[in-house]
Amino acid sequence: MSAVAAKDLTAERRAKANIVAVTSLGALTLLVFGFAIGPDVATLRTAAAGILWLSVLFSGVLVFHRSYQIELDGGALETLLLYPGERWEIFAGKLLANLCVVLLVEAIVIPVALVLYHVSVPDTWPALLAVIMLGTLGFVTLGTFYSAMASRTRSREVLLPLLLFPMLVPVLLAATEGSSALLVGDPMGDAGAWLRLLIVFDVIFLLAALFVFEHIIEA
Amino acid sequence: MKVPPLQTAELKITPQWWRLLGVVAPLALIATQTFGFMTSAPDRDMGNLQKIMYVHVPAAWNAFIAYFVVFIASVRYLLTKDERHDLLAASAAEVGAVLTALTLMLGSIWGRPTWGVWWTWDARLTSTAVLLMIFVGYLALRAFTDDPERRARWSAAVGIFGALNVPIVYMSVRWWRTLHQVQSSPSTVDPAYAWGLRLNAIAVLLLLIYFIARRYNIARMERQLEHRRDELELRPEGEPVHA
C-alpha cells in the first residue's frame, strides 16, 4: 500500500510540470468564476466556498486521470497486478497518493481563493481545516474509484466527470455548506452537523470502494 | 469461407408471454388513463392539471422499481458472473432512464402553473435529477467499454454505487432545503384520485415489465450473435461449423 503510494508520488514529483499545470488551472477557475459573478464583494464572499470546491473538483479530475494514465501508457498496470498482495492495497495506495496531490493543489488554491474573494480566515480555522480534509477525502475516494474504470475506456475525458459528479453531490453539499458556514458566519450553528455528515459519507464510500475495487481491476 | 445462416430456433430465448404482454400493457394503460380521467373531478386548486399525476406519479414509482432491478441484477452478477444478470441490469437501466426523464419533464410542466416555477431545488426533484444522471453515466460507461466481461463487471459496480447513493443524495438535499409538498400516496390523496393512481401505476408497471423483457431479449440475441461471430473467427481453417 505505501509502496504504491510512494511510486505514484515519485512519478508525480519527477514530472513537476503536471502538478503546476493542475494548480494553475484551479487558480484560473477561481478567476473565471470571479468574472462570471462580478466584482460585488458581498456576492463574492457568499459564493466563495462553493466556487472553491468546484475549482478543486475540476482540477482534481485531472489528477485522477493521470494516476492511472501513467501506468497504462507504460503497460505497468498488469505488472502491478501481478505482485503479491491484496487488490484493496493498490486502491488504498493510489488513494493516498491522490490525496497528497489534491491536498497540495488545495494548499495553493485555497489562499488564492481567500485573497480573490475577500474572505478572511475565521477563528474557527481548525474546524474549517477538518471540513476541508474530510471533504477532500470523500472526493478523492470516489475519484480514485471511478477513474480506475473511466481511464480505461474510450472518451475517458467525458466519462469520468459524468460518472463522478452525480455521486459527489452529498459530499459536495456537505463540504460546501460546512465551509461556507465557517467562512461567512454560522447563524444557525450547523457547521458541526455538516462535519459529522462528512464523516458518515466518507466512511460509507471508503468501505464500499474498498470492497468493490477488486471487481473492477482485473487479475 | 461460407458462413451458414443462423437458425431462428437458436434465437428463441425467452418464452412468448411477452408478446401477449405487448398487447395487454398498452391496452391496460389506455383503460386506466380513461378510468382516471372519468372518475376524478377537477381539483379545487389545480383543475384539470391534476390529471398529469396519473402519468407522473406512476412513472416515478416505476422508475424506482427499475433502479431496484438494476441494483439486484448488479449484485447477482458480481456474485455469479452470469452474463444474463448483466444484460437484465442494462435493460432495466435503459427503461428506467426513460421513465425518470418522463417524470422530470411532466413534473416540470405541472410545476410551472402550480408552483409558478419550472424547477425548484427541493430534495425529491434534485435527487430525481441526480438519479437520471447516474443512469446516464451507467449507460455511457457501457457504451464506451468494448470488452463485454469488463463492461459487465464495471457497470455492476457503478450500478451498486449508484443505488447506494440515491438515498444519501435524497437525505443530504433534504437537509439542505426542502419545499416539495408531502409525497403523494393513497393516504394523502383524495380517495377519488387514489384508485386512478393505483390502477395507472399497475398499467405502467406492466409496460415496464414488457419493455425490460423486450430489451433483454434483444440484448440476449446480440450477445449470442457476438459469441457466434467469435466462434466462427476463431475456428481453424476448413473445420466445419458445429450446429
Side-chain angles (χ1 to χ4, degrees), chain B residues 19-114:
Chain B
R19 281 188 196 284
L20 183 67
L21 197 59
V23 181
V24 172
L27 286 180
L29 188 64
I30 293 169
T32 54
Q33 284 292 320
T34 318
F35 176 81
F37 272 62
M38 304 291 282
T39 54
S40 61
D43 185 86
R44 181 171 44 118
D45 301 320
M46 308 176 213
N48 280 322
L49 200 61
Q50 168 269 334
K51 292 183 173 47
I52 284 185
M53 184 172 85
Y54 291 127
V55 187
H56 173 73
V57 177
W61 286 347
N62 282 288
F64 280 101
I65 294 177
Y67 206 96
F68 193 63
V69 174
V70 174
F71 175 65
I72 297 294
S74 298
V75 171
R76 290 186 70 184
Y77 175 77
L78 285 187
L79 292 178
T80 64
K81 303 281 151 136
D82 183 343
E83 186 179 76
R84 283 175 303 177
H85 297 309
D86 170 56
L87 297 178
L88 178 63
S91 314
E94 284 184 15
V95 185
V98 173
L99 284 179
T100 313
L102 185 70
T103 305
L104 283 176
M105 279 190 285
L106 289 177
S108 200
I109 293 170
W110 176 87
R112 173 70 193 156
T114 313

Side-chain angles (χ1 to χ4, degrees), chain A residues 142 145-146 148-149 152-155 159 162-163 166-170 173 177 194 197 201 204-205 208-209 212 215-218, chain B residues 78 81 130 133-134 136-138 140-141 143-146 150 153-155 157-158 160-162 164-165 168-169 172-173 175-176:
Chain A
L142 286 171
F145 181 77
Y146 278 95
M149 295 179 268
R152 289 184 281 159
T153 56
R154 285 179 283 128
S155 70
L159 200 55
L162 199 60
L163 289 171
M167 295 296 295
L168 275 179
V169 170
L173 265 182
E177 289 297 305
W194 289 115
L197 266 184
F201 293 156
I204 293 175
F205 288 129
V212 183
H215 290 291
I216 62 164
I217 201 102
E218 30 275 301
Chain B
L78 285 187
K81 303 281 151 136
V130 173
M133 292 324 291
I134 291 176
V136 170
Y138 176 92
L141 176 74
F144 290 132
T145 314
D146 294 321
R150 181 182 266 191
R153 260 182 300 115
W154 287 1
S155 52
V158 170
I160 293 169
F161 258 64
L164 195 70
N165 204 26
I168 300 179
V169 170
S172 57
V173 183
W175 285 316
W176 184 47

Side-chain angles (χ1 to χ4, degrees), chain A residues 17-85:
Chain A
N18 184 58
I19 196 157
V20 172
V22 170
T23 313
S24 314
L25 179 75
L28 182 63
T29 315
L30 290 173
L31 206 61
V32 174
F33 269 117
F35 289 134
I37 290 177
D40 180 49
V41 174
T43 323
L44 280 178
R45 222 174 253 163
T46 37
I51 293 172
L52 173 63
W53 279 104
L54 281 183
S55 88
V56 170
L57 231 66
F58 290 141
S59 32
V61 166
L62 300 176
V63 174
F64 303 143
H65 267 314
R66 194 169 157 75
S67 162
Y68 291 91
Q69 199 55 50
I70 311 176
E71 263 152 19
L72 289 172
D73 288 347
L77 192 63
E78 285 78 8
T79 324
L80 183 64
L81 291 171
L82 283 176
Y83 281 112

Side-chain angles (χ1 to χ4, degrees), chain B residues 108-186:
Chain B
S108 200
I109 293 170
W110 176 87
R112 173 70 193 156
T114 313
W115 290 340
V117 284
W118 292 105
W119 180 263
T120 91
W121 289 90
D122 105 305
R124 281 201 289 150
L125 260 75
T126 313
S127 40
T128 310
V130 173
L131 176 68
L132 178 64
M133 292 324 291
I134 291 176
F135 268 135
V136 170
Y138 176 92
L139 293 172
L141 176 74
R142 294 191 70 89
F144 290 132
T145 314
D146 294 321
D147 177 50
E149 209 247 318
R150 181 182 266 191
R151 177 172 61 214
R153 260 182 300 115
W154 287 1
S155 52
V158 170
I160 293 169
F161 258 64
L164 195 70
N165 204 26
V166 171
I168 300 179
V169 170
Y170 176 75
M171 291 316 290
S172 57
V173 183
R174 195 177 153 160
W175 285 316
W176 184 47
R177 61 166 43 156
T178 202
L179 94 217
H180 200 292
Q181 67 182 65
V182 184
Q183 204 154 332
S184 302
S185 76

Side-chain angles (χ1 to χ4, degrees), chain A:
Chain A
M1 176 179 139
S2 51
V4 175
K7 168 195 75 64
D8 277 11
L9 286 175
T10 311
E12 202 58 59
R13 193 172 35 116
R14 301 245 165 96
K16 293 176 198 69
N18 184 58
I19 196 157
V20 172
V22 170
T23 313
S24 314
L25 179 75
L28 182 63
T29 315
L30 290 173
L31 206 61
V32 174
F33 269 117
F35 289 134
I37 290 177
D40 180 49
V41 174
T43 323
L44 280 178
R45 222 174 253 163
T46 37
I51 293 172
L52 173 63
W53 279 104
L54 281 183
S55 88
V56 170
L57 231 66
F58 290 141
S59 32
V61 166
L62 300 176
V63 174
F64 303 143
H65 267 314
R66 194 169 157 75
S67 162
Y68 291 91
Q69 199 55 50
I70 311 176
E71 263 152 19
L72 289 172
D73 288 347
L77 192 63
E78 285 78 8
T79 324
L80 183 64
L81 291 171
L82 283 176
Y83 281 112
E86 296 291 327
R87 295 270 178 271
W88 67 263
E89 290 185 76
I90 297 177
F91 177 75
K94 287 213 162 286
L95 175 73
L96 211 59
N98 282 338
L99 193 63
C100 291
V101 177
V102 173
L103 284 176
L104 198 64
V105 172
E106 283 175 359
I108 297 166
V109 171
I110 291 173
V112 174
L114 293 181
V115 172
L116 286 181
Y117 294 93
H118 306 282
V119 183
S120 50
V121 181
D123 298 333
T124 52
W125 63 267
L128 183 64
L129 203 62
V131 168
I132 290 170
M133 295 297 281
L134 289 167
T136 311
L137 179 62
F139 170 52
V140 174
T141 303
L142 286 171
T144 310
F145 181 77
Y146 278 95
S147 60
M149 295 179 268
S151 299
R152 289 184 281 159
T153 56
R154 285 179 283 128
S155 70
R156 51 178 172 266
E157 290 81 4
V158 193
L159 200 55
L160 180 60
L162 199 60
L163 289 171
L164 180 59
F165 287 0
M167 295 296 295
L168 275 179
V169 170
V171 173
L172 183 66
L173 265 182
T176 309
E177 289 297 305
S179 36
S180 181
L182 289 166
L183 279 176
V184 192
D186 187 10
M188 308 295 283
D190 49 21
W194 289 115
L195 196 63
R196 282 194 290 279
L197 266 184
L198 268 178
I199 296 174
V200 174
F201 293 156
D202 283 1
V203 169
I204 293 175
F205 288 129
L206 200 56
L207 286 180
L210 284 172
F211 275 117
V212 183
F213 188 69
E214 62 175 300
H215 290 291
I216 62 164
I217 201 102
E218 30 275 301

